[in-house]
Amino acid sequence: MTTFDDILEEAGKFGRCQKRIFILLCMVSMPWAGVYVGIVFQGFTPDHWCRDPAVVERREACGWNLAESRRLTVPLDNSSGQQSSCEQYEVDWNATELTCDKQELEDLSRTPTISCKHGWEYDYEGRRSFVTEFDLVCSDAWLVDMFQATLNVGFLVGSIAIGYLADRFGRKMSFLISNLLNGVAGILVAVAPNYISLLVFRTLYGFGVKGGWVAGYVLITEIVGVEFRRTVGVIYQMFFSIGILILPLLAYYITDWRWLQVVITIPYILFLSYYWFIPESPRWLLSQNQNSKAVKITEDIAKENKMTLSKNIETLKDDNADSTTASFMDLIRTPNMRKHTFILSYNWFTSAVVYQGLIMRLGILGGNVYIDFLISGLVEFPAAFLILFTIERIGRRLPFATANFVAGVSCFITAFIPDSMFWFKTAVACIGRLGITMTFEMVVFVNTELYPTFVRNLGVSVCSTLCDVGGIVAPFLLYRLAVIWLELPLIIFGFLAFLAGGLVLLLPETRGVPLPDTIDDIEFPEKAKEKIGLKNQQMVNLLPNYQNTASNKDWATV
């Protein structure tokens, strides 16, 4: 019998058809950046202080600026020496004669203070975030964390649910369903009338976004030759970095968080047109015994690639049709599988916490968030090129561990660089961002190389759920610890990343090693190497023209 990988030798492993589909699906990664880290702009917390209606009225009558009127209502914070954001003088200005010469300021230092009674004023130059709209400051500041946490809850549930739908109803159908959900939920977020509904719609938004992104990732990797899967996977993720660069430009010109949400959502509505431009995965169709449809799509791929298929396509079958049923216990039953599951899960968790934490930190530093965000986004691009350059020359384990170490050390150093050395501090922080980006992109395909075929999808799904758990934890870790000390989150991030790098060194090197088929291949890796020669010989017998390419085939490629 002939497998789909065999037929791709003739249909074209990465021809014009696959390139067209690849470009279309890469577009999906760009708006996801706006969803994932849009909180930096949509949830920006500007300088704020207690609002007193009488003082506001007098300010308008006397022509005072914000700083002049602020001194009438805002006491100094005893701990920081700065003007308080959450307290005001206990003065009834309606019962007090307040003249435009502001002489009353001299006697306010000993005046009792109370919590804000009439809301807050914001110094945000006309821009609106959901923080300013719903007054999510002071005692309610933790609700900003919930905005990001609920998104990751949606990621967690949605990636599992849509992953199931992708296996049950197909990659293309689950991709389209998720984008339909994204379009509806994204618009609902933009028109949410109150904060509770905002959280509900945000959770639904997360439910579809990650699952649809993963469905696109799986679809493109299933229709290209094995030696191209890692490359298309890394570049597919790199388009997320392009979205990171576009986001601050959009936020700079779109000053209302609701309209920014609409702009981020529109691409998901446009992706519904992919119904006419991308095919279903032939591999999935074969797994569902829909051979005639798989053959038709494969023939269409070959035709667009201007290739001719042999009669072997008539014997096309799923090469994993008889796979053993997987269960969660398979991931922890044996020593090596248990070790891989723990280390990979921890790396997913760390990658999410540190990556999101470093990005969201830009929103609380007080500098020009647009320029800082743009600069930090630019450093993500070298990450993809470093991965592609090193993984086949050096291997997976050393670059993976080094990226974690670089991220961890950079976080430690950045925390202790004084603010007066701004550019040096920014440069070191960007190096940390580069390291954690490499880690995030590498954990995806390293995860697939360390599990046997029958449990590979389950293994990646289970381990990657820790990514969503990390995303839930990240905003609370960042915003709450920053209240104690602005650099404290960096110390935590550095520790997490450094530990992750040390654990990666305990993993086996997978460069040049065939993908494992059974748990025995994981527990006894020396036996797995013996499969390479046998598998190559079997392939030579299947396709007449395979002998010329067999020596170059890398069976370790995902």
Side-chain angles (χ1 to χ4, degrees), residues 478-523:
L478 173 72
Y479 295 130
R480 295 316 108 209
L481 292 182
V483 173
I484 303 172
W485 177 36
L486 183 61
E487 310 297 358
L488 182 56
L490 287 178
I491 303 298
I492 305 299
F493 297 160
F495 173 77
L496 292 174
F498 210 82
L499 179 58
L503 290 174
V504 167
L505 293 176
L506 301 178
L507 294 174
E509 177 56 64
T510 56
R511 181 173 69 103
V513 179
L515 284 176
D517 293 320
T518 66
I519 291 180
D520 283 344
D521 293 341
I522 299 295
E523 299 301 322

Side-chain angles (χ1 to χ4, degrees), residues 277-294:
F277 300 114
I278 63 173
E280 180 55 86
S281 167
R283 294 180 192 272
W284 178 80
L285 290 170
L286 290 172
S287 71
Q288 303 298 306
N289 294 318
Q290 300 182 41
N291 291 32
S292 59
K293 292 182 180 179

Side-chain angles (χ1 to χ4, degrees), residues 46-53 70 72-75 77 83-91 93 112-122 134-140:
D47 192 17
H48 55 280
W49 59 92
C50 296
R51 181 180 186 275
D52 189 303
R70 184 175 182 180
L72 288 174
T73 57
V74 181
D77 190 310
Q83 289 182 306
S84 174
S85 298
C86 303
E87 292 184 332
Q88 67 181 81
Y89 291 119
E90 190 175 12
V91 176
W93 293 109
T113 60
I114 58 174
S115 299
C116 300
K117 296 191 302 182
H118 304 287
W120 289 262
E121 291 190 83
Y122 299 94
F134 299 119
D135 286 332
L136 305 182
V137 292
C138 297
S139 61
D140 289 332

Side-chain angles (χ1 to χ4, degrees), residues 369-413:
V369 66
Y370 305 100
I371 295 178
D372 292 346
F373 200 95
L374 192 64
I375 293 174
S376 67
L378 285 172
V379 302
E380 291 199 1
F381 288 92
F385 294 111
L386 284 172
I387 291 172
L388 295 175
F389 180 78
T390 59
I391 57 177
E392 296 302 336
R393 292 172 174 82
I394 301 175
R396 282 78 158 132
R397 182 173 58 183
L398 187 57
F400 193 6
T402 301
N404 272 303
F405 289 141
V406 168
V409 171
S410 297
C411 287
F412 284 134
I413 295 176

